[in-house]
Amino acid sequence: MTTITVVTSTEADSGGTTTSQQRVKVLLYSDDRSVRDAVRFALGTRPDPDLPEIDIVEVATVPHAFRLLDTGTVDVAILDGEAAPGGMGVCRTLKDEIFNAPPVLVLIGRAQDGWLATWSRADAVVTHPIDAMALARATAGLM
């Protein structure tokens, strides 16, 4: 049985930097609960056995995402490109406005949207429906 740690916004705002002994903080933005559930299920507690465990911090709104990103404690961000507002625009803004922005994985609706992910300056892209292995590999590559 896999245990998922969901961090409350108060706990998420008080984090620190990542070392090999610390857990990796992953911000997950989507306005769709089923997408957030699929991502949590796909990643489990660690996307790769050789990497540290992860804490997934779920947010459903852009202001909450940026509040967490502004703390500088997010190690990896996963943004739903199909959310409203879309994760690709959020990614572009994040890369433009946050100094030392974390690596970003964008979930896109179709492979043909890859050019938009390039425009957004995403570090990795995975298409919907979520393939657990592809998402785990891509996330591990950003850690």
Side-chain angles (χ1 to χ4, degrees), residues 86-105:
M88 287 184 267
V90 172
C91 180
R92 178 76 180 215
T93 302
L94 162 67
K95 296 291 188 168
D96 284 344
E97 296 183 6
I98 296 186
F99 181 69
N100 287 332
V104 177
L105 182 148

Side-chain angles (χ1 to χ4, degrees), residues 1-135:
M1 182 170 163
T2 301
T3 303
I4 302 295
T5 304
V6 177
V7 181
T8 64
S9 62
T10 305
E11 293 167 327
D13 293 342
S14 65
T17 59
T18 302
T19 67
S20 60
Q21 274 68 36
Q22 291 180 326
R23 297 171 72 90
V24 173
K25 187 184 297 184
V26 176
L27 172 69
L28 172 56
Y29 161 68
S30 179
D31 64 346
D32 184 338
R33 180 71 176 171
S34 65
V35 171
R36 294 194 310 267
D37 289 345
V39 170
R40 276 189 299 103
F41 179 75
L43 295 179
T45 57
R46 69 177 71 205
D48 185 284
D50 296 331
L51 294 173
E53 291 188 353
I54 61 173
D55 286 324
I56 298 176
V57 182
E58 298 181 34
V59 297
T61 65
V62 172
H64 193 189
F66 275 104
R67 189 173 54 220
L68 291 172
L69 288 161
D70 282 338
T71 67
T73 62
V74 173
D75 299 303
V76 176
I78 299 175
L79 309 175
D80 184 4
E82 301 302 303
M88 287 184 267
V90 172
C91 180
R92 178 76 180 215
T93 302
L94 162 67
K95 296 291 188 168
D96 284 344
E97 296 183 6
I98 296 186
F99 181 69
N100 287 332
V104 177
L105 182 148
V106 174
L107 303 170
I108 60 175
R110 328 171 285 154
Q112 296 88 337
D113 292 337
W115 71 272
L116 285 169
T118 300
W119 167 84
S120 75
R121 292 190 263 161
D123 300 289
V125 177
V126 173
T127 58
H128 284 285
I130 294 169
D131 174 338
M133 296 301 288
L135 182 61

